Amino acid sequence: MQFHDRGYVSGDPRVQPAAEPARPVELPEEVDALIVGAGPAGMAAFAQLSQFPQVSTRLIERRPGRLEIGQADGLQARSIESFQAFGFAQRLIEEAYRIYSMAFWRPGPQDPAHIVRTGLVPDDPSGISEFPHLILNQARVLDYFAEFAANSPGRAAPDYGVEFLGLEVTDAADYPVCVDVLHRTGPRRGERRRIRAKYVLGCDGARSQVRAAIGRRLVGQDALHAWGVMDVLAETDFPDFRTKCAIQSHDGGNILLIPREGGYLTRFYVDLGEVPENGDHDVRSTSLETIVARAGRILHPYSLDVRDVPWWSVYEVGHRLTDRFDDVYESGREPRVFIAGDACHTHSAKAGQGMNVSIQDGWNIAWKLGHVLDRRARESLLATYSAERQVVAQDLITFDREWSALMATPAQHLPGPTYLEDFYVRTFEFPAGFMTRYEPSMLIAQPVYQALAPGFPIGKRFRSAWVHRVSDTTPVHLGHHARADGRWRIYVFAGSHGEVGSPEPLRHGASFDLKVIYQQPFGEVDLTRVPAMFRPRGGPFGLTDWEKVHATGPEHDIFAEREISRDGAVVVVRPDQYVAHVLPLTAHDELRRFFAGIFL
């Protein structure tokens, strides 16, 4: 973390200097970006846009205040990587429950009425990320995003107690989207208003009114299976009560058991069986007592004494998706309204994907809106949001349909005794969030030079690795220095003789963060001979930034670990951590052309 560049900071360095002019306290009549809904997608987008203080962004939420208890709780490693960019990964890790292993229980071969453990597998069998798989109440995740926004230069805060009523996209040049809202709390309670916006992002859940306003529909498979979910404080003699478990009983159904943060709370997903096609959602009236009793039968011969239930619900597994994530129906027009999260894709909760994919939706569209609204990038950038994220959502639904079906299948009907755990290990990379690979577009180059850095696949997330900061010899994760500040990262991996090429035109600090990594051990790199573009001066005192020059060390050789050519390479990474391009050190013109297609 870098600070003091503008003078001594005696307080919390996470609080950035406030921008001028100050953000209006009251919801204004005109805004650049209006976000509807303070769920994971909305809060991630809001946090990212808070780093663009010159962009007027507001978030309206029908609730009177912060979410107190959330439904989602699973945080995959890809999300923790993202939280690192927003500056709260480590604090969240300390608070959360870590999933290190998963246990599998089945009916005993001698006595099927008794469940026995048949497997204990590592949660991350391939070591694909330095970050763990965590469990934490969604409400706390939203709190962290809210804190980041409040500490941003714009001092952003959600407008709670404001309900979205409808919108209309007009031909107006400046603020074409007219949004009708209702104040539900505060001194303006009961007042209806019209807000004019340049863009609107609907993050208002599965019953999204924004989605309805632009004529999109969730289409897909009706719910065919029901589950009761409950967070409990309980006493039990079940030995894996504090380990994530998939439990399949002989005749009592199945349980997905997930320990929660704090050491005592545990979540149960309890199988309630098939749902009749014309059941009129009768299963939703299932009582808590019924769910608890069913969980007890599945755990037999172990006991379950539930002492308290802070939250519970019944849901039916359904898989639905919209055909696009914006309001464009005909070619030739750029989108003005977008939808994200549950507003455009719904699925079961058991793969732990809802909150995670929604966060990536919000981050994806937000940095693009920021670049367009501060007149940095072309408006055509916004069309890539639906093109990229709709494919991800479709892949998620395909995976979740298979995982949900397996979880609901009686143990005796599976192909083999270890089929479920084998599937879990075999498909781990997808639920962890690392199978996303964006196709070539104005933001993702063709993989012409991919052979220069196979360990950084173009279109996939930038996978961090250890390097040594030359200035102080400290080992650091290269990707952890990147912040959710809307800037592109340009990583120059020097050639065997220290050659670095010349990405000089990309030095503009508002858009690019330029770093160099040498193949030599850190003690052999002479900082005085490093090109000045990697030792930039900035701030009111013109101080040198010493943290952009890196090298290898006795235990860490990123060139070998990420298969980077010893001739060197340039790796271009988007503001949301996805690799956009790999180039030779000498490909100056190609680098310029790539960014010329994005920036104005």
Side-chain angles (χ1 to χ4, degrees):
M1 188 176 192
Q2 292 178 286
F3 50 97
H4 295 323
D5 57 320
R6 298 178 179 275
Y8 182 74
V9 176
S10 64
D12 187 344
R14 292 172 299 184
V15 181
Q16 298 175 274
E20 296 291 343
R23 175 183 181 270
V25 175
E26 289 289 324
L27 181 64
E29 301 293 333
E30 296 177 345
V31 298
D32 292 335
L34 181 67
I35 302 171
V36 182
M43 290 301 288
F46 189 55
Q48 174 64 99
L49 280 166
S50 72
Q51 291 292 295
F52 295 83
Q54 68 279 21
V55 174
S56 170
T57 303
R58 305 296 286 228
L59 183 152
I60 61 173
E61 166 57 50
R62 186 178 185 273
R63 292 193 310 269
R66 65 174 287 272
L67 184 69
E68 294 187 0
I69 183 167
Q71 297 182 8
D73 62 356
L75 292 167
Q76 303 291 348
R78 172 70 190 117
S79 292
I80 315 306
E81 289 183 351
S82 305
F83 299 159
Q84 176 67 26
F86 284 93
F88 57 79
Q90 296 306 319
R91 288 189 296 151
L92 185 143
I93 288 171
E94 291 178 2
E95 182 178 343
Y97 169 84
R98 176 173 182 172
I99 297 178
Y100 190 79
S101 302
M102 184 168 180
F104 292 84
W105 289 72
R106 290 168 49 87
Q110 275 72 44
D111 183 358
H114 289 202
I115 57 171
V116 296
R117 185 209 273 178
T118 59
L120 182 67
V121 302
D123 189 69
D124 180 359
S126 61
I128 197 169
S129 175
E130 70 276 15
F131 288 112
H133 180 187
L134 302 176
I135 301 297
L136 185 66
N137 185 352
Q138 173 182 313
R140 292 294 294 132
V141 178
L142 303 186
D143 287 345
Y144 280 113
F145 276 124
E147 178 188 65
F148 179 88
N151 291 340
S152 72
R155 299 294 189 264
D159 291 288
Y160 289 113
V162 180
E163 181 179 2
F164 173 88
L165 299 178
L167 65 76
E168 176 188 6
V169 180
T170 71
D171 295 329
D174 294 332
Y175 297 92
V177 189
C178 295
V179 181
D180 294 317
V181 303
L182 170 68
H183 287 268
R184 298 178 59 86
T185 60
R188 306 183 76 160
R189 181 177 180 180
E191 179 182 344
R192 295 172 64 112
R193 297 175 58 198
R194 171 158 285 195
I195 309 297
R196 297 171 61 215
K198 293 180 180 178
Y199 299 98
V200 170
L201 174 60
C203 307
D204 49 340
R207 296 180 177 85
S208 170
Q209 294 301 306
V210 176
R211 182 186 67 232
I214 62 173
R216 296 288 176 199
R217 293 188 307 113
L218 283 172
V219 178
Q221 181 189 49
D222 289 332
L224 299 176
H225 212 95
W227 295 78
V229 55
M230 57 182 181
D231 288 331
V232 305
L233 295 169
E235 274 296 306
T236 179
D237 55 357
F238 180 62
D240 282 341
F241 194 57
R242 295 303 297 171
T243 300
K244 181 182 178 182
C245 298
I247 305 167
Q248 297 175 300
S249 73
H250 179 67
D251 57 4
N254 305 318
I255 286 176
L256 179 62
L257 185 151
I258 302 177
R260 292 284 302 271
E261 67 278 9
Y264 298 97
L265 192 67
T266 301
R267 172 163 291 189
F268 280 77
Y269 288 95
V270 183
D271 180 8
L272 298 181
E274 295 291 328
V275 178
E277 289 193 32
N278 299 314
D280 197 28
H281 307 294
D282 292 342
V283 72
R284 294 180 186 174
S285 62
T286 302
S287 68
L288 174 61
E289 291 73 20
T290 299
I291 297 171
V292 171
R294 192 170 183 85
R297 289 197 301 273
I298 295 171
L299 283 178
H300 185 76
Y302 301 103
S303 64
L304 179 66
D305 179 10
V306 174
R307 306 287 176 84
D308 186 46
V309 183
W311 177 84
W312 70 282
S313 184
V314 175
Y315 72 91
E316 300 162 82
V317 177
H319 302 94
R320 295 182 178 275
L321 181 69
T322 62
D323 58 339
R324 281 187 66 93
F325 291 4
D326 58 35
D327 66 332
V328 174
Y329 285 86
E330 70 282 343
S331 59
R333 180 175 86 78
E334 301 298 344
R336 287 288 176 178
V337 183
F338 308 87
I339 49 178
D342 287 355
C344 44
H345 49 79
T346 63
H347 35 83
S348 85
K350 290 183 299 304
Q353 290 297 292
M355 176 163 48
N356 299 272
V357 175
S358 296
I359 288 169
Q360 298 303 319
D361 287 350
W363 195 7
N364 185 295
I365 183 56
W367 73 262
K368 296 172 182 178
L369 282 170
H371 278 216
V372 170
L373 285 166
D374 74 358
R375 304 184 186 281
R376 205 181 303 185
R378 304 178 187 281
E379 195 177 21
S380 55
L381 184 67
L382 301 178
T384 64
Y385 166 67
S386 179
E388 290 183 341
R389 298 306 299 172
Q390 206 269 352
V391 174
V392 172
Q394 181 60 69
D395 291 343
L396 163 60
I397 286 173
T398 300
F399 170 82
D400 184 59
R401 185 178 288 120
E402 185 173 5
W403 174 245
S404 296
L406 287 175
M407 280 297 302
T409 301
Q412 64 271 25
H413 295 162
L414 289 173
T418 64
Y419 188 83
L420 191 62
E421 48 261 56
D422 292 344
F423 178 86
Y424 182 83
V425 172
R426 185 174 70 251
T427 62
F428 167 78
E429 189 175 351
F430 185 90
F434 300 125
M435 287 297 287
T436 296
R437 187 165 192 170
Y438 295 138
E439 293 297 317
S441 68
M442 67 184 292
L443 290 174
I444 301 293
Q446 293 286 347
V448 177
Y449 301 107
Q450 182 67 80
L452 292 175
F456 293 122
I458 295 173
K460 297 193 75 170
R461 118 286 189 190
F462 180 83
R463 186 180 179 188
S464 184
W466 287 102
V467 294
H468 282 262
R469 197 164 51 213
V470 172
S471 62
D472 59 6
T473 74
T474 301
V476 294
H477 253 285
L478 184 60
H480 293 193
H481 199 268
R483 290 290 177 257
D485 54 12
R487 291 191 296 170
W488 291 70
R489 264 71 204 181
I490 312 294
Y491 297 100
V492 178
F493 292 89
S496 56
H497 300 292
E499 60 272 26
V500 297
S502 180
E504 191 79 16
L506 304 182
R507 289 175 55 189
H508 184 23
S511 297
F512 301 102
D513 178 17
L514 190 61
K515 288 183 171 62
V516 64
I517 305 93
Y518 288 95
Q519 299 181 34
Q520 293 78 12
F522 58 84
E524 298 179 13
V525 177
D526 184 352
L527 272 173
T528 65
R529 300 175 64 87
V530 173
M533 60 184 164
F534 300 112
R535 295 179 288 120
R537 296 173 182 263
F541 303 110
L543 302 177
T544 297
D545 184 345
W546 294 84
E547 300 196 1
K548 296 185 180 296
V549 183
H550 302 84
T552 61
E555 299 178 0
H556 310 298
D557 182 358
I558 190 173
F559 284 80
E561 293 169 11
R562 296 294 178 263
E563 303 174 80
I564 301 165
S565 169
R566 296 296 173 176
D567 293 329
V570 175
V571 178
V572 180
V573 180
R574 302 180 349 171
D576 57 355
Q577 301 178 325
Y578 284 87
V579 178
H581 213 336
V582 172
L583 290 161
L585 294 174
T586 56
H588 311 147
D589 291 340
E590 290 177 78
L591 188 60
R592 289 191 188 94
R593 283 196 299 271
F594 175 73
F595 282 111
I598 299 169
F599 289 96
L600 292 173

